[in-house]
Amino acid sequence: MAKYYDVHPDNPQPRSIAQVAESIRSGALVAYPTDSCYALGCQLGSCDGVDRIRSIRALDARHHFTLVCQDFAQLGQFVQIDNDVFRAIKASTPGSYTFILPATREVPRMLQHPKKKTVGVRIPDHVVTQALLAELGEPLLSSTLLLPGEEEPLTQGWEIKDRLEHQVDAVIDSGECGTEPTTVVDFSGGEAEIVRYGAGDPTRFE
């Protein structure tokens, strides 16, 4: 049964955030809010977490998982970035973007695209997510909480708890989230290629 955390959107309670972070370190799969929509998240090296996200979302092996990072310094440990790409991403973060880039050796093989050896990364502009990442001290392995056969992600914490009561371990509710996933920009070929239009303004990458 999923634990439910009612967290203030502007001043998240440190005790609740610490409890969620500790559960993630212990292998929990959590549903949490971001600056675009709700996401599923687990610890970076959790094979069980990856399997559970794939099961909930009915994902195949080609799906790009996302490393949700606290800041640019953390992001830089997990992807290879040249100077031009660095400037473009730096100017757009934090924000509602996911960037696909070549993965470094720090990224577990199971998270990389099987052929391209790439991974998605993002830095969210959301108080609660940032508090959780700061407490956790490492990126969250994440995927948009979009259920199979549904066109829009779930937006309410209580609804997520009702729907996924026995499939996730914790739900953070800090009020209604948006319904639009991030804009996804693929930099793995050196040039910006928008592969999904979403919450982030795409014009700077067109």
Side-chain angles (χ1 to χ4, degrees), residues 51-205:
D51 290 343
R52 291 169 70 188
I53 292 173
R54 288 192 193 280
S55 176
I56 291 169
R57 292 204 52 205
L59 300 173
D60 63 25
R62 296 185 301 276
H63 176 76
H64 268 109
F65 282 93
T66 299
L67 301 183
V68 178
C69 301
Q70 182 184 0
D71 52 31
F72 212 89
Q74 193 176 73
L75 181 148
Q77 298 174 41
F78 297 93
V79 289
Q80 300 170 35
I81 312 176
D82 65 27
N83 288 337
D84 290 340
V85 174
F86 174 92
R87 285 191 290 269
I89 294 177
K90 184 77 170 174
S92 309
T93 54
S96 301
Y97 299 93
T98 298
F99 302 101
I100 297 173
L101 290 157
T104 67
R105 293 181 180 179
E106 300 294 320
V107 179
R109 188 176 296 275
M110 65 178 175
L111 304 184
Q112 300 178 27
H113 187 284
K115 292 184 179 178
K116 298 179 181 179
K117 308 304 180 192
T118 50
V119 70
V121 287
R122 69 170 299 218
I123 302 171
D125 187 13
H126 192 281
V127 173
V128 174
T129 316
Q130 281 289 339
L132 180 58
L133 291 168
E135 180 68 30
L136 194 60
E138 63 180 22
L140 263 174
L141 188 165
S142 290
S143 183
T144 301
L145 209 176
L146 181 62
L147 299 179
E150 300 191 8
E151 294 185 3
E152 291 189 342
L154 300 177
T155 63
Q156 301 276 3
W158 60 265
E159 182 185 13
I160 292 168
K161 187 178 187 304
D162 284 350
R163 294 279 299 275
L164 300 178
E165 177 83 48
H166 301 292
Q167 294 174 277
V168 301
D169 302 301
V171 177
I172 299 176
D173 189 346
S174 62
E176 185 167 347
C177 253
T179 59
E180 199 169 17
T182 56
T183 293
V184 179
V185 185
D186 189 343
F187 274 111
S188 61
E191 299 290 329
E193 177 188 353
I194 299 173
V195 295
R196 182 177 74 195
Y197 288 84
D201 179 8
T203 55
R204 65 180 66 201
F205 298 108

Side-chain angles (χ1 to χ4, degrees), residues 41-52:
C42 65
Q43 193 170 33
L44 182 58
S46 175
C47 295
D48 178 65
V50 169
D51 290 343
R52 291 169 70 188

Side-chain angles (χ1 to χ4, degrees), residues 7-14 127:
V7 175
H8 194 281
D10 300 315
N11 298 290
Q13 301 92 317
V127 173

Side-chain angles (χ1 to χ4, degrees), residues 17-35:
I17 294 298
Q19 288 175 346
V20 176
E22 184 55 37
S23 70
I24 291 169
R25 293 188 196 100
S26 300
L29 176 63
V30 304
Y32 69 99
T34 75
D35 52 346

